Amino acid sequence: MARILAIDYGAKRTGIAVTDELKLIASGLTTVRTHDLESFLKDYFEKEKVELVLIGEPKQVDGTHSENEERIIHFINRFKKVFPTMPVSYTHLTLPTSDL
């Protein structure tokens, strides 16, 4: 079974999370320097079976795109060239708010 890998792309550091093989639980995996992200992903994809990469779409509180949007789009275009067979999804995730 394959995992889903999620990327929280940043200008200097990028957070990586991954599901278990049953895709029931997602956990933070690591944070890597963004400069090293491509080589980290190459190594990870060689070791683990990944069926989908999710890339978070950051939004401002008012719903507008963040200042990181342009860098993320550039990364996605590069990702598709380097990993042409890996499905990738760029999505804005809305998390439920807590009443606490």
Side-chain angles (χ1 to χ4, degrees), residues 7-100:
I7 296 176
D8 182 11
Y9 190 87
K12 295 182 182 181
R13 288 176 300 284
T14 295
I16 309 288
V18 66
T19 65
D20 63 300
E21 291 179 342
L22 296 175
K23 294 181 244 7
L24 298 174
I25 299 171
S27 302
L29 178 64
T30 191
T31 301
V32 298
R33 291 184 340 194
T34 299
H35 179 74
D36 299 327
L37 180 58
E38 188 175 312
S39 63
F40 172 85
L41 292 173
K42 283 180 184 178
D43 290 342
Y44 191 83
F45 294 158
E46 288 177 8
K47 296 174 187 171
E48 297 289 342
K49 189 170 183 178
V50 175
E51 72 178 46
L52 175 66
V53 173
L54 296 176
I55 301 174
E57 179 183 1
K59 296 282 188 175
Q60 302 291 345
V61 175
D62 65 1
T64 60
H65 294 291
S66 81
E67 67 280 352
N68 203 28
E69 180 86 9
E70 190 173 317
R71 284 190 285 278
I72 294 170
I73 298 299
H74 177 74
F75 168 73
I76 291 169
N77 290 330
R78 172 78 182 152
F79 181 93
K80 288 178 179 180
K81 289 177 185 173
V82 175
F83 307 105
T85 62
M86 179 64 66
V88 62
S89 177
Y90 182 48
T91 183
H92 175 68
L93 302 175
T94 304
L95 300 176
T97 56
S98 172
D99 292 334
L100 299 178

